[in-house]
Amino acid sequence: MRKSFDRQRPLTHLWLDHPQAKHLEHMAQLLDALPEATELAFGDLVAAGVDPHLGRQGMSAEQVLRVLILKQMQDFSYEELEFHLADSATYRAFCGLGIADTAPSKSTLQRNIKVISEQTLEAIHRMVVACAKREGVDNGKRVRVDSTVINAAIHPPTDSSLLKDSVRVLTRLLSRARRWTKKKSTDHRRRAKRRALGITHARSAEQRLPLYRDLIAVTKKTLRAARVASSILPRVQAGKEQAEVDRLVEQLRYHVLAAERVLDQAERRVLRGQSVPAQQKVVSIFEPHVDVIVKDHRETLYGHKVFFSAGASGLVVDVVVPRGNPADSAMATTMMTRHVEICGEPPKQAAFDGGFASQSNLDALKGLGIRDVAFSKRRGLDVMEMVKSPRIYRALRNFRAGIEGIISYLKRAFGLARCDWRTLASFRAYVMASVIAANLLTIALGVAR
């Protein structure tokens, strides 16, 4: 049985007279005023296969949403979250856990939290922004926009590490498939690992080349065995274990295709000396959505470019995670169009980083009804064309610099330096959950003042 709310609240601990406890109490009150947010989370739980009328009572949708916010606010792992929910009276009160309730396990927390979709969290985010407007924390009249890169949970990709990963994963899947296929295959994982280490420590290309040839040969042998297993398994009649066999077939087919791409890339780059375009590169066999982003021609990052717009109070009004590596200038109009959707009207003043500057962007932003538009670098644009006076331009340029501190705050305190969740949808959900937690705290602090 699953509920959206606990209609009869359990007996909980009293809130402590401590600043952090008071902030959490204000945040809980804000969430109490947004029952629609909990109903959206309940819809995701039901859509994931949870029957609200059958089974034992699990976490309510209200509790799932609050433990997610607490996790992102404190940048807890699931294991840490489990401990603190069992240990902290304040955290239990915030999440609606009664004095006699058993704290959920880390597996229960993960299973429930990951069900909340990016669409639900974006809708909740917009509710929180509307709440900030009602509370007078931020009216959205002044906004600043910038972008950053959030890293994905992958190691720096090299051809040798990708080949080694392919051998390791395919061998593991083959060992599971042997139960039904009865086909034996050679375990090349140790050999692949040694060749990859040798490549890493080789002093010259001449030393690396024979090691790469052997590693590629080992990968091909493992790949051939995986192809055979993936052709046999679909014909297996496994009875009660059929669902497990079907999942294994799906995993084998995915990793066979991934290994083929890795092999093609390694042969082109290493053996034939060809250059592989960025959009064709494989950077991870586990996270295929990850983008390669070169920052300032000096640093290569693996994750996603994320665009933020923030108000004068520090409230994050909007966040966008696009595919690829779009130029900042391509996103200026998009960010302000979304701002109008979220706030119901265009801002009076908008400040952007220099990368967003262009004449076409200036014209488009003015066309949306924004009175003053300031780019931190003019890029040949006239100050008086952007704003009414040089004084306003200087003020907006200084105002824009504040978003760098906001982004740094999100990365340091809300886990946005690196996203540990897999798939693009989960990446976006992770970012949005962190922003919701940060905004609720911003509103709580603003109301407390």
Side-chain angles (χ1 to χ4, degrees), residues 192-440:
K193 182 178 181 180
R194 287 178 175 175
R195 296 299 174 268
L197 283 172
I199 290 167
T200 301
H201 297 113
R203 296 184 178 182
S204 65
E206 289 75 15
Q207 291 178 340
R208 281 192 293 270
L209 188 57
L211 297 171
Y212 259 118
R213 290 187 188 279
D214 191 54
L215 181 54
I216 288 172
V218 164
T219 307
K220 286 181 176 179
K221 289 179 182 179
T222 308
L223 183 57
R224 281 195 294 269
R227 289 197 188 105
V228 171
S230 63
S231 65
I232 294 174
L233 276 175
R235 301 194 296 270
V236 170
Q237 300 300 319
K240 293 181 180 180
E241 298 174 335
Q242 191 61 49
E244 184 180 352
V245 172
D246 292 342
R247 283 196 300 272
L248 183 56
V249 170
E250 184 180 352
Q251 291 172 345
L252 266 171
R253 287 175 175 171
Y254 169 79
H255 283 287
V256 162
L257 291 174
E260 288 173 346
R261 289 187 63 199
V262 169
L263 270 172
D264 177 68
Q265 174 176 288
E267 289 179 334
R268 289 168 63 186
R269 284 162 52 92
V270 179
L271 303 185
R272 297 196 289 271
Q274 297 177 0
S275 176
V276 179
Q279 62 272 18
Q280 297 179 17
K281 286 181 180 176
V282 180
V283 296
S284 172
I285 63 172
F286 308 106
E287 301 287 343
H289 62 88
V290 170
D291 295 317
V292 182
I293 300 170
V294 180
K295 188 175 181 182
D296 299 331
H297 304 286
R298 56 182 169 80
E299 186 180 10
T300 303
L301 302 173
Y302 304 97
H304 290 290
K305 198 170 189 179
V306 182
F307 291 82
F308 292 93
S309 65
S313 66
L315 186 86
V316 179
V317 179
D318 193 18
V319 57
V320 177
V321 185
R323 288 304 308 268
N325 183 15
D328 288 355
S329 57
M331 293 294 295
T333 306
T334 299
M335 295 301 294
M336 288 300 96
T337 302
R338 287 174 58 91
H339 181 93
V340 174
E341 293 175 4
I342 294 169
C343 296
E345 59 182 348
K348 292 183 178 179
Q349 296 180 320
F352 297 82
D353 185 53
F356 293 86
S358 73
Q359 185 65 54
S360 59
N361 278 340
L362 178 60
D363 295 339
L365 295 171
K366 290 282 188 176
L368 288 174
I370 305 174
R371 185 184 66 199
D372 297 316
V373 178
F375 302 105
S376 62
K377 296 179 182 177
R378 291 185 289 169
R379 309 281 186 186
L381 298 173
D382 185 66
V383 169
M384 299 305 294
E385 191 178 2
M386 290 188 280
V387 297
K388 290 184 176 181
S389 70
R391 180 185 63 80
I392 294 176
Y393 176 75
R394 288 193 299 270
L396 284 177
R397 188 176 58 186
N398 294 339
F399 172 68
R400 185 220 63 85
I403 196 171
E404 296 182 6
I406 294 170
I407 292 173
S408 175
Y409 169 60
L410 290 170
K411 287 189 172 185
R412 286 182 291 105
F414 292 87
L416 286 189
R418 185 173 186 263
C419 173
D420 294 328
W421 291 5
R422 296 183 63 178
T423 76
L424 178 60
S426 292
F427 189 102
R428 288 172 170 160
Y430 182 95
V431 172
M432 194 61 71
S434 293
V435 168
I436 291 170
N439 280 348
L440 285 170

Side-chain angles (χ1 to χ4, degrees), residues 38 48 57-58 64 66 68 84-85 87 101 134 139 150 173 180 183 194 200 278 311 394 399 401 433:
T38 301
Q57 183 171 331
V64 173
R66 294 192 182 200
L68 171 57
H84 286 290
L85 285 176
D87 181 68
D101 292 343
R134 289 194 302 272
N139 57 17
I150 297 177
L173 294 175
W180 295 282
K183 290 280 187 180
R194 287 178 175 175
T200 301
R394 288 193 299 270
F399 172 68

